């Protein structure tokens, strides 16, 4: 190895923003959920945050996709999504995990995980009063009793096991 | 006349080794994904989200349900490095097409 190459390639790297935002733009926490949990929570986020999301999209439309003009609306969208995720984690942590782990095993296709999705949606409806509604379709596919492409059998098995352990835990506390 | 079992033994051995090779590769891929199945038929959105997942968790195929991202996520970035190969993306054609979505009919011929 040539000495010059070592000096050329090995440099210290720090995770620092070299061009920070101006002071007049307030800080906002970023959404920390990764793709599968976000997909599992997406319809509930959409349900709760519809006004903020619509506002943001209208702003983008009005300012011709303006990035700088819609920062305030964008912060509201981010904060609202974080609030929904916090609520889901507070009330339905295990159900949420069950569903997104199934999604992660099945190429994140919702149709393969209907069993755990049912458990999650029931928990979320009981605690947060949010209901999944796919907009602009004739039939709500997740509410069909006999869909053509059925849930994966592994998901159904995991859900049965989950419900059983939950029942046992509930019986022990009583 | 029935075939004596000695005559079928080579075929059994061949089948066993093909099976070992295939299942072995499949097992290694599953292990390498963090005990998860392969992602396939990915579009630009999925790839972008997988990059974001890596920045959040620091693990390939890692997932997190934390509502708020860690502080370093705001400035995190990855640098991709790859070396030249004469036939990149040309071998394993069927798998390549499966992953790109051609096999399941998501192509665009226009």
């Amino acid at each position: 190895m040539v000495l010059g190459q070592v000096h050329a390639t090995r440099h210290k790297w720090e995770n620092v923003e070299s061009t920070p935002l101006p002071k007049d733009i307030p800080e906002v926490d970023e959404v920390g959920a990764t793709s599968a949990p976000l997909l599992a929570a997406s319809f509930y986020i959409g349900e709760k945050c519809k006004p903020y999301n619509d506002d943001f999209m209208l702003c983008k439309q009005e300012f011709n996709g303006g990035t700088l003009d819609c920062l305030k609306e964008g912060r509201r969208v981010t904060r609202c999504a974080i609030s929904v995720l916090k609520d889901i984690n507070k009330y339905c942590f295990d159900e949420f995990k069950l569903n997104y782990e199934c999604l992660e095993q099945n190429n994140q296709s919702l149709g393969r995980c209907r069993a755990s999705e049912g458990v999650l949606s029931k928990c979320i409806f009981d605690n947060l009063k949010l209901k999944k509604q796919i907009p602009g379709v004739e039939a709500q596919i997740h509410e069909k009793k006999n869909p053509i492409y059925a849930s994966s059998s592994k998901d159904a098995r995991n859900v049965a096991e989950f419900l059983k352990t939950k029942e046992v835990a509930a019986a022990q506390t009583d | 006349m029935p075939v004596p079992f000695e005559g079928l033994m080579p075929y059994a051995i061949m089948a066993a080794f093909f099976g070992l090779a295939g299942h072995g590769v499949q097992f290694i891929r599953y292990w390498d994904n963090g005990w998860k199945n392969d992602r396939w038929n990915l579009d630009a959105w999925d790839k972008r989200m997988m990059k974001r997942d890596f920045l959040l968790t620091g693990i390939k195929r890692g997932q997190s349900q934390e509502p708020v991202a860690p502080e370093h996520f705001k400035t995190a970035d990855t640098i991709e490095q790859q070396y030249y190969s004469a036939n990149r993306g040309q071998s394993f054609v069927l798998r390549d097409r499966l992953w790109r979505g051609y096999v399941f009919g998501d192509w665009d011929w226009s």
Side-chain angles (χ1 to χ4, degrees), chain A residues 15 17 27-37 82 85-86 89 93 96-97 100 104-105 107-108, chain B residues 30 35-37 39-40 42 49 52-53 56-57 61 63-69 72-76:
Chain A
N15 190 354
E17 181 69 278
E27 282 279 308
V28 65
D29 288 327
E30 297 291 339
V31 176
T34 53
S35 53
I82 288 177
L85 285 165
K86 274 184 178 162
N89 273 346
F93 190 92
F96 192 32
K97 200 173 186 78
Y100 83 71
E104 189 58 11
Q105 288 288 357
N107 198 31
Q108 299 195 1
Chain B
Y30 185 72
W35 307 108
K36 286 172 185 178
N37 293 319
R39 296 292 306 274
W40 48 275
L42 301 175
M49 288 305 275
R52 182 177 172 276
D53 293 354
L56 278 166
T57 59
R61 296 293 306 274
Q63 294 291 327
S64 149
Q65 66 191 98
E66 286 294 309
V68 178
H72 60 74
F73 174 67
K74 287 181 182 175
T75 49

Side-chain angles (χ1 to χ4, degrees), chain A residues 13-21 27-31, chain B residues 48 51-52 54-56 69-79:
Chain A
W13 184 81
E14 281 178 292
N15 190 354
V16 175
E17 181 69 278
S18 53
T19 51
L21 281 175
E27 282 279 308
V28 65
D29 288 327
E30 297 291 339
V31 176
Chain B
R48 185 73 189 76
K51 267 186 195 164
R52 182 177 172 276
F54 180 78
L55 291 179
L56 278 166
E71 188 58 31
H72 60 74
F73 174 67
K74 287 181 182 175
T75 49
D77 198 7
T78 49
I79 300 166

Side-chain angles (χ1 to χ4, degrees), chain A residues 31-81:
Chain A
V31 176
T34 53
S35 53
L38 268 185
L39 180 65
S42 56
F43 283 93
Y44 308 107
I45 293 172
E47 171 96 2
K48 180 100 178 269
C49 305
K50 193 167 193 307
Y52 300 107
N53 295 346
D54 286 351
D55 200 28
F56 179 65
M57 294 314 284
L58 278 173
C59 174
K60 299 277 274 186
Q61 212 171 23
E62 193 178 325
F63 289 99
N64 194 18
T67 312
L68 291 173
D69 307 287
C70 304
L71 284 173
K72 190 170 79 175
E73 287 79 2
R75 284 194 293 275
R76 285 178 183 158
V77 167
T78 308
R79 268 190 235 115
C80 180

